[in-house]
Amino acid sequence: MRETAVWRRRLDDTLEFLCRIRRSSTQQEICRHLLCYAERFGATNLLAGPIPPPRALRREQVSHVLLDAWPEQWSERYFSKGYLYRDPTIQLVSRGSSPFRWSEIDEMCGVGPVGRRVMDEATEFKLCEGFTIPFATLERQAVGFSVAGEKLDPDPHDRLAFQFVAACAFGCAVTLAAGKWDSKPVHLSPRQRDVLRWASEGFTVDEIADRLSISRNTADTHLRSARERLGVANTVHAVAEAFRHGLIA
């Protein structure tokens, strides 16, 4: 019972930050809210944006950054030396990896000498430990969202919750960068809202079906329909977009 109360309290806290992000009027404001949220597990910097196409010039690479609270001198060195396509975190994002801590990179892919140098040089700017969330747009464009600091200690709840927060924040940043919020309203059925509310609490499709007294196939169909209406590829992103549009609370 006590664990349920703690989970509920932490969820309410996460939802409050999502509301603050939705109300942000600039990308810088989104960054401030994100860092306020992420500082609980040690993050002091963040960077997010879609991965540029291969062989993109420096100016185009920089233009893909949508949320930027990264050390300025490190960004200058990183892009001027062409580190983007040699960075092992970017390689994993491009492969569609699951979210990962930087300490897990060696186990997930082969890190060559240049990749190791990129990671080592980042520590000079107090980017010693990081957590990266890869996701993709419906157009299959890879998006990387990283937070970092001198010491990160996200527990499993932090990792899951920050995926929701990051996806919501990225959606808000995209619409702000375009100069306007979505003009076309999105509508979800009551049942689609129900399944997304339960998904936002970390429940599986089977658990959602049990709580709503429907079949697993029906629950999965409602989730799939909600993703299609929201124009996203996965349930985490669907929940974030539903919060951003004010469809669930």
Side-chain angles (χ1 to χ4, degrees), residues 8 45 120 137 196:
R8 184 73 239 183
N45 299 91
D120 288 345
T137 66
L196 287 178

Side-chain angles (χ1 to χ4, degrees), residues 87-106 108-109 119 129-134 143-147 152 154 159 163:
D87 185 342
T89 65
I90 300 301
Q91 294 171 13
L92 287 172
V93 168
S94 298
R95 295 178 193 174
S97 168
S98 58
F100 58 91
R101 295 182 66 169
W102 292 358
S103 58
E104 301 166 340
I105 290 177
D106 283 326
M108 300 175 70
C109 69
M119 301 301 293
E129 297 182 2
F131 178 51
T132 295
I133 302 169
V143 174
F145 197 115
S146 293
V147 290
L152 262 65
R159 290 179 63 146
Q163 290 181 59

